[in-house]
Amino acid sequence: MAAPRSVLLGFLMALLLSVTASAETGYDAWLRYEALDESVADSYRGTVPAVLVTLGNDLPVISARGELVRGIRGMLGRTLRLESAIPEEPAILLGTVSDIRAMAPELAPDSDIPEDGFLLRTVQFNFVSYTIVTGSNDRGVLYGAFAYLRKIALHQSLAGLDWQESPFSPIRWINHWDNIDGTIERGYGGRSLFWDDERVHDDLSRVTDYARFLASLGIHAVSINNVNANPRVIEADMLPDVARIAEAFRPWGVRIALSLDFGSPMRIGGLDTFDPLDPAVVEFWENAVDEVYAAVPDLAGFVLKADSEGRVGPSAYGRTHADAANVIARALQPYGGTIFYRGFVYDNRMDWRDPANDRARAAHDNFIDLDGDFEPNAIIQIKNGPIDFQVREPASPLFGALRATGEAIELQITQEYFGQARHTVFLAPMWKEVLDFDMRADGRATPVKAIVTGKVFGPRGGFVGVSNAGLDDNWYGNHMSQANLYAFGRLAWDPDLTAHDIADEWSRLTFGHDPEVVRTVLDIQLTSYDTFEKYTGPLGLQTLTDITGNHYGAAVEASERNGWGQWHKADEEAVGFDRSVATGTGFAGQFPSQNAAMWESVETTPDELVLFFHHVPYTHVLHSGKTVVQHLYDTHYEGADAVAGYARAWAELAGRVDEQRFSEIRDQLEYQAGQAEVWRDAVARWFWRTSGIDDDRGRVGNYPGRTEAESMNLTGYDFIEVDPWEGASGEGAVECNAATCTATLEYDGEAGWRDLVVRYFDHLGGTARFEVRVAGQTVDEWRADDRVPTRRPDSSSSSRRVISGIALRPGDEIQIIGFPENDEKAELDYVEIRETAQSDDR
Ligand code: GCW
């Protein structure tokens, strides 16, 4: 019998609702404005007025109005009434302090608010309660609106509001490393938001949405092209397009900046020189700046990478970095623009045989004598550490060494050396360590956060984050990676927030208030940095990755014997880089005396950086009481176990997080757990073979249940060596050089439920298929269609398929059948048989 129409319709509606309710792509990140539970919503209905009055009509204030309407609608299910006159009933008054003073002096705050700051205050007037959302300028008003909504989203009380905040850091910029062809250098969230094929996208609505996220954190400028800059960005035919990007950001109080190519006077200016002291070059830059400002009158300024990694710079003419920065800085002065000159200057063709050479020294060596030579609108942009965004480095000694020059700290939001957003690594704990690090400049308390914001030595400075968000639905390619942008913005605003506070806020805004969810997300995020350091490069060894290649997988020796200077100097006897003054490169001596003394000696260097500063035998005993080599083994196992724990903990949240984000994060953590095993085995085996010292717990080199592919019964499969060797278990791997190949092993254990772990390689260049048969029965099939940054079998492409709950019997044949495609030869590393966990009731 046919169901009555109404029933059917109702059913369809319910289906539709449940689908939309669960269809969260991550696009809305932390600005979801999810409907509050009825009881919580009720508690706000008395304090949130029905009317919103907006004073002034600057774009950011108009955006603030729209945001308040949107947020209150989403969370409380009510639409604010927009009025232009102040009513005799409770209302939100939104506008700058000066606009409020002009229109309703009795409601205006009596003291000023610092630049970009905001004030939220409940004021009684004529027996009516008004909520003032105001700021020193239009951006401050917008930041106030976001703060007001965040309070509601975090279930904080709005009663008797009197809350004022202003940013700790006067400069809060984002850099994008987007190329104008639409690719992004070190970007993991898809193609560029701005560029495609040397043009700007026609539809820039994604840019405006991105600007909204930035504004919600108080970020006020973004450079829109790679520091490895294409000079085309400032050519006349490009400028109208650039202006459109500026326009897309403008409603949210975000200004744009451009990265420059220092060779532009020659490359696009028709000159035969780019010598910064040549009058024609001076004129070139003046004209270029005039033209850019004609197109983008509120341009924030420029970023310049010169004399670094193949970029041309002032050294070509024997000029200084100050000469280079100043020629552009002076051209910017009439417009109030700023130039960020990157401190990331080093020689990438350094002789590794010379023990005096040390890349860590480079920034300090290059800039220290130039202090005071820079124009006031030139700021030296310094990476957090002296090398390059490694998993652990000390703070750069250049912070605070410059006294008469503006400094900014550059933090990398995009996870280049942190698993490239395929791994979850929450960077706030690491950033906090650098920001809170006390330089002891002049022997007094001088934390990096105070130095870089000009609070110690004066010159204006701030925070710059390399974001590289892209066109993927969730911006970064990993939902959890959004937390890094959130943390960067929150720390630039207030570096005294704890990593815990930030993660807690982010988690609630992003996934809601279910305590189980909050607890799990916090557990994962807050330990993830420590965990990543453990399974990659602990003790200050840095990320032991492919330094000259993809910066992703494990490759311990890749750092050595090349000019890039990321050496860890591990050999058969000892490991670590002697950077002491007495016997090493003297890098430790670049720090103010108290820190220099601490790092000078092995005894006083904390374990976490011991191998960054010292070359010690593997048997050296750490403060922890363990030997160096045992510490390396233990941390790698602890790190891999921790990620396996994340995957299990997340799986418990089924039904508590919307379906798409739940399953995408589940898959991401499962993948990361597999990768952490590869890292564990690669690094631990490398140090085991190199040092010849056994793991005192017997784990390294001993893998119960594992059968190497090369020792299985092979049909069509051939043995291959993997390069570097530690990327594969055993002696190497096998590849299929026929239409289909089979690797077979016979199970000789006891009968029972088992999981089969198949370790294979999934790289670019083809999509191989695999089939697994147990006793002739197909138990799994899959395609190796992942996109990892390598074209060959190695630690980056090493992948794991877990086939759980197989009823194995002694004598069963386990067959892995590979179907290669093009360059992907269905390469196999090993099969591991594990007992199926007890809790698994299949
Ligand atoms: O970390 C390195 C990256 C380069 C980058 C460079 C820099 C934009 O590997 O991709 O180039 O730093 O910061 O300039």
Side-chain angles (χ1 to χ4, degrees), residues 177 185-186 226-228 305 308-309 311 342 344 346 359 383 387-390 410 412 416-417 466 547 551 566:
W177 290 350
E185 182 158 349
R186 318 300 178 188
N226 194 350
V227 289
N228 292 327
K305 172 177 178 179
S308 166
E309 301 186 331
R311 308 297 301 174
R342 294 184 84 231
F344 186 61
Y346 70 101
R359 171 168 165 187
K383 291 192 183 188
I387 302 280
D388 189 5
F389 302 135
Q390 296 301 295
E410 179 178 319
Q412 201 188 38
E416 176 180 357
Y417 286 96
V466 180
I547 290 299
H551 301 182
Q566 292 190 220

Side-chain angles (χ1 to χ4, degrees), residues 316-455:
Y317 300 95
R319 309 299 186 200
T320 70
H321 297 299
D323 295 331
N326 290 346
V327 66
I328 298 165
R330 289 189 195 110
L332 279 168
Q333 279 162 0
Y335 300 100
T338 304
I339 175 159
F340 285 79
Y341 194 91
R342 294 184 84 231
F344 186 61
V345 176
Y346 70 101
D347 176 7
N348 63 5
R349 289 191 215 93
M350 227 168 9
D351 184 358
W352 66 93
R353 285 158 294 226
D354 181 347
N357 281 342
D358 182 3
R359 171 168 165 187
R361 295 186 54 107
H364 191 277
D365 283 347
N366 276 300
F367 286 89
I368 193 66
D369 292 336
L370 300 174
D371 193 19
D373 294 352
F374 291 87
E375 291 289 332
N377 62 326
I379 290 178
I380 310 302
Q381 180 170 319
I382 306 166
K383 291 192 183 188
N384 59 275
I387 302 280
D388 189 5
F389 302 135
Q390 296 301 295
V391 68
R392 187 179 291 270
E393 300 180 41
S396 170
L398 193 55
F399 296 126
L402 301 175
R403 301 293 170 87
T405 308
E407 297 176 19
I409 186 168
E410 179 178 319
L411 300 172
Q412 201 188 38
I413 298 160
T414 193
Q415 295 168 227
E416 176 180 357
Y417 286 96
F418 287 89
Q420 308 192 346
R422 302 181 62 100
H423 295 222
T424 286
V425 189
F426 180 53
L427 296 169
M430 178 182 85
W431 293 338
K432 284 287 291 180
E433 288 190 33
V434 183
L435 294 168
D436 290 342
F437 179 75
D438 187 354
M439 271 288 162
R440 307 300 301 165
D442 303 333
R444 60 193 169 106
T446 48
V448 169
K449 60 189 170 195
I451 292 173
V452 297
T453 49
K455 293 177 175 42

Side-chain angles (χ1 to χ4, degrees), residues 571-574 617-620 627-630 633 684-696 700:
D571 59 26
E572 270 141 45
E573 308 301 322
Y618 290 107
T619 50
H620 170 79
T627 61
V628 164
V629 73
Q630 192 58 41
Y633 299 150
R685 282 170 67 239
W686 193 92
F687 281 104
W688 179 55
R689 265 205 206 175
T690 307
S691 70
I693 301 173
D694 278 339
D695 168 19
D696 64 18
V700 183

Side-chain angles (χ1 to χ4, degrees), residues 63-312:
S63 296
R65 178 179 71 191
E67 193 70 18
L68 283 173
V69 173
R70 175 178 180 168
I72 305 272
R73 174 85 233 152
M75 293 187 287
L76 303 180
R78 307 222 155 154
T79 300
L80 293 170
R81 256 181 96 85
L82 301 180
E83 291 188 7
S84 48
I86 299 175
E88 284 176 16
E89 65 166 298
I92 300 175
L93 304 188
L94 181 72
T96 60
V97 173
S98 55
D99 281 337
I100 295 189
R101 269 193 199 132
M103 196 161 157
E106 43 306 291
L107 297 176
D110 33 28
S111 58
D112 282 336
I113 302 170
E115 187 177 81
D116 290 349
F118 63 79
L119 168 72
L120 310 180
R121 182 179 277 169
T122 329
V123 188
Q124 306 294 329
F125 185 70
N126 282 345
F127 307 105
V128 182
S129 168
Y130 297 103
T131 303
I132 312 290
V133 177
T134 189
S136 56
N137 52 12
D138 52 15
R139 284 198 302 262
V141 175
L142 178 57
Y143 302 158
F146 277 116
Y148 182 82
L149 292 169
R150 187 163 65 225
K151 270 195 167 295
I152 302 176
L154 292 175
H155 298 184
Q156 293 166 359
S157 166
L158 295 178
L161 267 185
D162 191 7
W163 182 32
Q164 182 175 330
E165 276 191 30
S166 55
F168 185 90
S169 178
I171 289 176
R172 305 171 307 279
W173 280 37
I174 289 289
N175 284 177
H176 268 255
W177 290 350
D178 297 29
N179 299 311
I180 63 177
D181 66 3
T183 59
I184 306 183
E185 182 158 349
R186 318 300 178 188
Y188 313 108
R191 286 175 63 85
S192 173
L193 297 169
F194 316 120
W195 310 95
D196 190 26
D197 198 14
E198 306 226 343
R199 293 253 67 101
V200 169
H201 293 296
D202 289 334
D203 178 2
L204 291 175
S205 48
R206 280 289 302 252
V207 175
T208 303
D209 287 348
Y210 181 53
R212 174 172 165 257
F213 288 106
L214 299 184
S216 77
L217 303 170
I219 290 164
H220 60 150
V222 175
S223 66
I224 55 168
N225 64 306
N226 194 350
V227 289
N228 292 327
N230 186 324
R232 291 256 308 114
V233 284
I234 56 166
E235 282 194 309
D237 68 318
M238 272 297 206
L239 290 177
D241 264 9
V242 168
R244 286 202 301 114
I245 300 180
E247 197 182 312
F249 275 112
R250 205 167 278 132
W252 297 97
V254 180
R255 296 154 75 193
I256 67 157
L258 294 169
S259 297
L260 297 176
D261 171 24
F262 197 62
S264 298
M266 253 166 97
R267 292 185 62 194
I268 58 169
L271 302 182
D272 57 6
T273 176
F274 56 90
D275 177 354
L277 299 192
D278 187 297
V281 170
V282 173
E283 200 189 324
F284 168 87
W285 286 117
E286 284 167 358
N287 290 337
V289 169
D290 289 346
E291 277 169 31
V292 176
Y293 273 87
V296 184
D298 59 353
L299 187 90
F302 296 121
V303 187
L304 180 57
K305 172 177 178 179
D307 275 335
S308 166
E309 301 186 331
R311 308 297 301 174
V312 299

